[in-house]
RNA sequence: GGAAGCGUGGCAGAGCGGCCGAAUGCACCCGCCUUGAAAGCGGGAGACGGGCAACCGUCCGGGGGUUCAAAUCCCUCCGCUUCCGCCA
């Protein structure tokens, strides 16, 4: 949630952010008035409660007729307090409900617009010229005995797959390489729960506009996570940290992909379940922007290791997640699509998630402050697409990028 | 799945319906003492909300109830522990 103080002192910032996202601006004024009513309700209830406290003590001391008379007064006051508290709760609920509808404030430098209005920050490497007709990742993967889509569908339905043999090895090599890099860079490796409680899912901002993306188990009221960002953000909920923290979460991720019918139906680009190593940082708000640049740097370090051409984009405001202040994606070149496709995504969520989840840190003066959270992808199953297609050879074999060989144990994988 | 018990401040751990935001110990901070430290002595220190402030209010797992008054009594949900059963 956003900071109410910012809203009170600078509502125009919030309005501008809403405009940039293409979201409702009127909610800002509704919230301002609800906040005003809430504060006066608090003040009324506080005053009455203070009176009640004093009177209650007198009742305790009084005897006989005095006591009876005081009791009558106290009963009336109790009724007033109850009414005032009801008003306080009602206005607080109203504020919270409106607050929950406002996504994070966007970064002033983020490009304004929709999905296609991103800005290319840079392009690294050049797409390879093939002297043969390149195969797509599914043809390659099938012939290599790496991907079994048909049986995936038989067992789990559409958008499910088996990684087998060298495919499974390739994924483990990739994720292990990511885990090793993260550890070397000071991240603590974490294997997280992939089912979480509603408060945690809501706290990370995924139960708002994008809730249809999320699997829910109604019998247990648990949600399947679409990224280990969710459990890692919840990890320190209701805690006060004594410094910054960096975690690398390894988990399976589950996405319903509702509303993407017909999109990327071939292969493992868009699937219901995949694995991912995700970086997650807790830092002071003033360090968040610098941390965001560092996360992007570590993503690029990983991309360099798989030796594929890629570009970095600054995502447009309309395409930001609820919690994101700014987002950079790294997109790898996919030869058979003649397109760049997203491999990583790093978001600066500023204090938005931490405020909902009540994650704080102790500042130099010993005061508690809301922390900032950031996340960024280090590797996912989808990376296999880029590796297979970019490093394929005319005979259908695939050369393993040098940095991955120690993790893979071989230089090349061949059709069976 | 059944049964019982428990959930209090950074940690441990007291707590009679009003004198409880809460004893005590440890840890922490500041003094004194000491060449320095430890010990000892004295003092300080929770979180959140409202207010320019003095100050006021809220918070004893969450929510609801009883009562003039709830950490304390009742209901409910969540979590933890133990025992039994079942399954891996």
């Amino acid at each position: 949630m956003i900071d109410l103080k910012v809203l009170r002192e600078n509502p125009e910032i919030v309005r501008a952010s809403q405009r940039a996202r293409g979201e409702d601006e009127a909610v800002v004024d509704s919230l301002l008035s609800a906040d005003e009513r809430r504060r006066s309700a608090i003040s009324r209830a506080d005053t009455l409660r203070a009176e009640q406290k004093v009177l209650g003590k007198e009742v305790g001391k009084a005897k006989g007729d005095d006591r009876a008379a005081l009791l009558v007064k106290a009963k009336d006051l109790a009724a007033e307090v109850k009414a005032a508290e009801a008003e306080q709760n009602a206005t607080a609920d109203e504020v919270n409900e409106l607050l929950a509808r406002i996504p994070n404030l966007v970064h002033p430098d983020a490009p304004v617009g929709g999905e296609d209005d991103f800005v290319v920050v840079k392009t690294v490497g050049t797409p390879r010229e093939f002297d043969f007709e390149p195969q797509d990742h599914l043809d390659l993967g099938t012939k290599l005995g790496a991907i079994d889509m048909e049986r995936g569908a038989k067992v789990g339905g559409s958008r499910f797959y088996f990684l087998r043999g060298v495919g499974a090895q390739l994924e483990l090599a990739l994720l292990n390489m990511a885990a090793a890099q993260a550890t070397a860079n000071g991240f603590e490796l974490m294997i997280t729960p992939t089912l979480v409680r509603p408060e945690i899912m809501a706290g990370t901002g995924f139960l708002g506009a994008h809730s249809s993306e999320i699997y829910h188990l109604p019998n247990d009221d648990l949600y399947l996570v679409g990224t280990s960002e969710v459990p890692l953000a919840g990890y320190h909920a209701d805690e006060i940290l004594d410094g910054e923290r960096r975690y690398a979460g390894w988990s399976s991720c589950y996405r319903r992909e509702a509303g993407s019918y017909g999109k990327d139906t071939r292969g493992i680009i868009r699937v219901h379940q995949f694995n991912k190593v995700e970086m997650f940082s807790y830092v002071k708000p003033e360090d968040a922007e610098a941390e965001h640049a560092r996360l992007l740097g570590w993503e690029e370090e990983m991309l360099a290791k798989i030796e594929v051409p890629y570009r970095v984009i600054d995502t447009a405001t309309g395409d930001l997640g609820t919690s994101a202040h700014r987002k950079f994606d790294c997109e790898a070149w996919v030869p058979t699509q003649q397109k760049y496709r997203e491999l990583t995504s790093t978001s600066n969520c500023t204090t938005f998630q931490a405020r909902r989840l009540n994650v704080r840190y102790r500042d130099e003066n010993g005061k508690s402050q809301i922390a900032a959270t950031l996340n960024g992808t280090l590797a996912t199953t989808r990376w296999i697409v880029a590796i297979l297609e970019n490093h394929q050879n005319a005979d259908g074999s695939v050369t393993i990028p040098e940095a991955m060989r120690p993790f893979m144990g071989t230089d090349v994988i061949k059709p069976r």
Side-chain angles (χ1 to χ4, degrees):
Chain A
M1 66 180 86
I2 62 162
D3 188 351
L4 264 181
K5 287 203 180 89
V6 169
L7 179 92
R8 276 180 216 141
E9 286 159 21
N10 240 322
E12 194 41 48
I13 291 183
V14 185
R15 285 195 199 97
S17 174
Q18 291 291 95
R19 266 199 302 281
R21 279 183 182 266
E23 300 262 351
D24 180 24
E25 265 185 78
V27 68
V28 173
D29 291 300
S30 311
L31 185 50
L32 277 171
S33 102
D35 179 51
E36 196 56 50
R37 277 178 282 124
R38 181 185 65 104
R39 282 191 290 165
S40 65
I42 286 174
S43 150
R44 273 195 302 277
D46 276 3
T47 310
L48 284 168
R49 265 192 299 259
E51 277 180 49
Q52 187 188 33
K53 259 184 145 169
V54 174
L55 190 56
K57 277 177 189 165
E58 287 174 28
V59 171
K61 282 183 238 153
K63 299 253 185 312
D65 287 351
D66 284 352
R67 187 184 163 89
L70 281 173
L71 266 178
V72 173
K73 255 175 87 179
K75 271 193 178 172
D76 289 346
L77 191 53
E80 280 187 67
V81 168
K82 207 169 181 181
E85 280 180 344
E87 176 69 11
Q88 181 184 338
N89 289 337
T91 52
D93 287 350
E94 204 181 332
V95 166
N96 290 335
E97 202 184 295
L98 289 165
L99 207 45
R101 279 166 44 191
I102 300 185
N104 200 358
L105 302 178
V106 300
H107 191 290
D109 295 344
V112 174
E115 199 176 345
D116 301 324
D117 297 311
F118 59 83
V119 166
V120 177
V121 176
K122 66 164 154 175
T123 303
V124 177
T126 41
R128 172 180 161 196
E129 298 286 340
F130 286 91
D131 51 13
F132 58 91
E133 190 60 36
Q135 305 181 62
D136 79 1
H137 77 276
L138 185 54
D139 282 338
L140 286 164
T142 305
K143 290 172 193 158
L144 288 163
I147 301 172
D148 190 337
M149 218 60 210
E150 267 181 48
R151 292 195 180 88
K154 177 169 75 181
V155 170
S158 71
R159 297 197 191 280
F160 283 96
Y161 57 95
F162 283 78
L163 289 181
R164 37 189 301 227
V166 290
Q169 280 178 275
L170 193 59
E171 168 146 314
L172 285 178
L174 183 66
L175 295 174
N176 277 321
M177 186 167 76
Q181 181 189 300
T183 305
N185 289 327
F187 287 78
E188 183 174 0
L189 191 60
M190 301 279 265
I191 294 177
T192 72
T194 52
L195 295 180
V196 300
R197 298 152 54 106
E199 312 86 89
I200 301 296
M201 192 54 94
T204 47
F206 286 102
L207 283 190
H210 304 103
S211 61
S212 64
E213 259 307 293
I214 307 209
Y215 285 105
H216 180 227
L217 301 178
N219 285 346
D220 303 284
D221 199 15
L222 290 170
Y223 292 88
L224 279 88
V225 302
T227 162
S228 60
E229 171 192 344
V230 174
L232 290 176
Y235 189 67
H236 287 300
D238 295 315
E239 292 184 23
I240 302 177
L241 304 174
D242 48 19
E244 61 180 29
R245 303 290 178 96
R246 292 201 181 101
Y247 297 109
W250 175 319
S251 81
S252 291
C253 305
Y254 302 88
R255 301 188 179 177
R256 293 188 64 231
E257 296 299 346
S260 62
Y261 302 111
K263 252 197 216 170
D264 299 317
T265 48
R266 194 175 154 75
I268 59 168
I269 292 219
R270 191 180 293 272
V271 288
H272 288 310
Q273 179 189 332
F274 58 93
N275 291 307
K276 180 156 70 116
V277 173
E278 173 94 344
M279 298 178 283
F280 193 91
S281 304
Y282 292 90
V283 299
K284 294 177 183 178
E286 60 268 31
D287 296 337
E289 197 154 342
E291 181 72 2
H292 201 193
R294 282 189 286 270
L295 292 178
L296 180 58
W298 283 315
E299 291 181 344
E300 293 195 61
E301 188 182 335
M302 271 299 290
L303 282 159
K305 287 174 181 167
I306 66 159
E307 299 174 45
V308 297
Y310 68 93
R311 66 181 186 185
V312 179
I313 65 165
D314 190 350
T315 309
T317 49
D319 201 25
L320 290 174
T322 304
S323 299
H325 173 62
R326 197 177 202 185
K327 180 172 87 168
F328 295 108
D329 288 354
C330 294
E331 301 180 324
W333 179 253
V334 176
T336 61
Q337 297 192 0
Q338 290 290 297
K339 271 197 263 186
Y340 287 98
R341 300 301 309 261
E342 176 187 329
L343 284 200
T344 73
S345 181
T346 178
S347 293
N348 177 2
C349 297
T350 61
T351 55
F352 188 87
Q353 287 178 332
R355 186 169 286 109
R356 282 193 189 187
L357 291 166
N358 193 27
V359 183
R360 291 161 293 169
Y361 69 96
R362 218 129 331 248
D363 69 15
E364 308 71 40
N365 306 317
K367 287 290 291 175
S368 62
Q369 306 277 357
I370 302 287
T373 60
L374 301 96
N375 60 76
T377 319
L378 267 192
T380 71
T381 303
R382 188 188 275 180
W383 286 43
I384 292 173
V385 173
I387 294 169
L388 293 182
E389 292 207 13
N390 282 288
H391 295 293
Q392 64 179 297
N393 304 309
D395 62 358
S397 68
V398 173
T399 305
I400 303 299
E402 192 141 351
M404 281 187 74
R405 289 177 195 171
F407 296 94
M408 189 66 188
T410 180
D411 297 1
V412 61
I413 49 178
K414 297 190 172 108
R416 316 206 312 161

